[in-house]
Amino acid sequence: MSILLPKEACLLQLPEETKVDILKRLGFKSLLDCRLVCKSLRDTIQDSLQLQYNIELGADGLVDGSGCPMTVAERYALLMDRRRRWRELDWKQVESFKAPGWVQAYELVDGMFATSMGIGLSGSEHLQLTWLPTRNGPLRTVEVKDLGITVRDFAIDPSQDLIALVLAEGLGSPTTLSVHLRTLSGNKPHPDARKPELDTPVPASVGSSFIQIVDDVIGMFFHAFDPGLVIWNWRTGQTVVRLTGPEFPAHVSDFAFISSRAYMITTTSSNGPFELFSHGGAIELFTFRCDDADADAYLRSPTRVAVLQLPALRQGRCLTHFFTHSAPFVARPTPGRPFEMSPDCRLHVMDLDYGNRAPCFSLFVRNNTFLSYLPPWAPGEVGADFTPVIKSWEEWGPDNSRLTPLIAQFNWLRYVHGERVALPPKPTFDGDPRMALMTVIDFNVHPTRQEVLPLAPPEGTQCKLVTDAELVVDDEHFIGPVESRLPYMMVLRLLPREALDYSGLIIDHEHLVGMRSGSDDYVDLDVYTF
């Protein structure tokens, strides 16, 4: 049975400003679909600067800012200028500063570069915070010479005024991990943390470790002979995940959050003597529960929801290391900023190492691919007995990833932001000794859009869209050719040869930062602001 609505109820009959108010609540892809419905909707969308701004904002993986006094027209103009500058590597200004040498730990999050000075696991009581310059604000630095504790590592989220400080080895129990929760602004116990310190037992002294903040949770992946993972709700002090020893198989290689209630681990595996081939590793996705009312939530095992297998290997071949890296999370928008990177616009850059004298590969996967495998029910609701989805490489990999020979050796992390990757400068293709190449790869592209490439890039800059499938043929390791076709844009710019002195580039929403060691006492940083 159909219901005939009165003519006045039809969307097309509404006043133009009402139609715009309704349409602006749609995502940019839905707005593009609406343009195809009829001429009237197409004209409404085309004639509305607000809707055009929303489309271009979504196309760049951004969301509108909070508390920005700029008009829609001003934000639209800035958005288009910022896009052009990234596609041409045409920065607006360059400014340099120094950071202490003997870097113990460092972070680049949301325009703040933080570093501590120390050697090895002995720890540091020092912290330097630098707010990178913006179009409207200068660079500024604050140095804390005595934190009051000695730390080996830290993570920051400036939007929450939060720094999580990992206590250095030997200052507490060798079988306890301790994380202190402080404010960035005053080095005081964080007022939103129910407990000023998070502790968890570990089976042995911790070697390497990695800590990350995502909204109200903090995760720490570490090696104490075998790998381990602890996730806390830092606001309540509750341990929500604790996997060590036999609970966490030894073939786990790395860890990364994909949201505040889900994470991935990378696993390596070797084939047995009677197998003709091995799946050679996988990406496993988990959800977990973080319920303040459940004090023993960590006793619930995380729910494994999906296993994404890597290309199958020949008998006797195995994946020995499988590392992953992505950008830090930021919980809240910065007041006054016109637009922000969408939390959904994230890229995972993975290194696949198949052992001595074997080729290494880079694997690029968008975070939305992983999110698409999360079930609709609440995280942790079903529990450990849930049967995960298992996908072979042929089922998930070719259309949703790009596998290439190892693209670069990265000396500094934080070379990913959103879906952009900053590569270390390298010599030019023609070997010109006077010049170097700066390269940025962007996987947030829309090949069907005509405006995807600059019409006339300036001299010394090249921008190319790569949509062709990539075929990796390595009969010694893989059982067959491995195809992948996730599209991307590569932007290259010629620079004076001195850029080769950079030991790496790091990146955030509006900066590229070239890292250059000046001496043992300091590191030179050149900040390119877009």
Side-chain angles (χ1 to χ4, degrees), residues 409-413 423-425 498-506 513-518 523-524:
Q409 293 282 355
F410 295 98
N411 296 320
W412 297 85
L413 298 180
L423 304 187
E498 287 71 24
L500 294 177
D501 294 338
Y502 292 144
S503 54
L505 289 176
I506 57 178
V513 183
M515 316 288 288
R516 177 170 42 224
S517 296
V523 177
D524 285 321

Side-chain angles (χ1 to χ4, degrees), residues 384-439:
D385 294 334
F386 177 77
T387 302
V389 173
I390 299 177
K391 295 289 186 180
S392 68
W393 169 263
E394 289 72 22
E395 292 177 293
W396 81 271
D399 288 330
N400 297 292
S401 72
R402 175 71 64 160
L403 181 73
T404 72
L406 188 66
I407 200 161
Q409 293 282 355
F410 295 98
N411 296 320
W412 297 85
L413 298 180
R414 296 306 177 219
Y415 53 83
V416 189
H417 186 268
E419 294 182 336
R420 291 192 185 105
V421 185
L423 304 187
K426 60 184 180 181
T428 60
F429 298 123
D430 60 5
D432 187 340
R434 302 166 300 172
M435 307 300 289
L437 270 180
M438 178 181 283
T439 307

Side-chain angles (χ1 to χ4, degrees), residues 288-367:
F288 61 91
R289 189 169 179 174
C290 190
D291 185 354
D292 187 26
D294 186 359
D296 295 321
Y298 76 87
L299 298 176
R300 300 173 182 266
S301 297
T303 303
R304 185 169 68 160
V305 296
V307 178
L308 308 181
Q309 297 173 340
L310 295 188
L313 300 175
R314 294 193 178 277
Q315 184 182 21
R317 303 300 181 184
C318 65
L319 181 63
T320 57
H321 297 97
F322 186 7
F323 300 116
T324 184
H325 184 55
S326 60
F329 285 82
V330 177
R332 301 166 183 161
T334 300
R337 190 176 288 170
F339 34 76
E340 306 267 357
M341 188 65 66
S342 168
D344 294 334
C345 186
R346 303 179 60 79
L347 181 75
H348 296 265
V349 182
M350 307 179 191
D351 290 348
L352 284 65
D353 184 349
Y354 290 93
N356 291 335
R357 300 184 180 179
C360 297
F361 296 91
S362 296
L363 178 65
F364 302 89
V365 186
R366 303 176 77 177
N367 197 60

Side-chain angles (χ1 to χ4, degrees), residues 112-169:
M112 176 183 285
F113 180 75
T115 182
S116 62
M117 181 171 56
I119 302 175
L121 300 179
S122 61
S124 173
E125 297 180 1
H126 168 270
L127 182 69
Q128 178 174 300
L129 303 176
T130 300
W131 287 261
L132 301 184
T134 66
R135 290 187 175 206
N136 303 314
L139 181 147
R140 60 190 180 93
T141 295
V142 172
E143 187 171 13
V144 181
K145 294 185 177 180
D146 185 2
L147 287 167
I149 56 174
T150 305
V151 302
R152 59 181 288 172
D153 197 6
F154 62 83
I156 62 173
D157 183 350
S159 76
Q160 302 187 83
D161 192 26
L162 174 64
I163 181 168
L165 301 159
V166 183
L167 200 66
E169 192 85 359

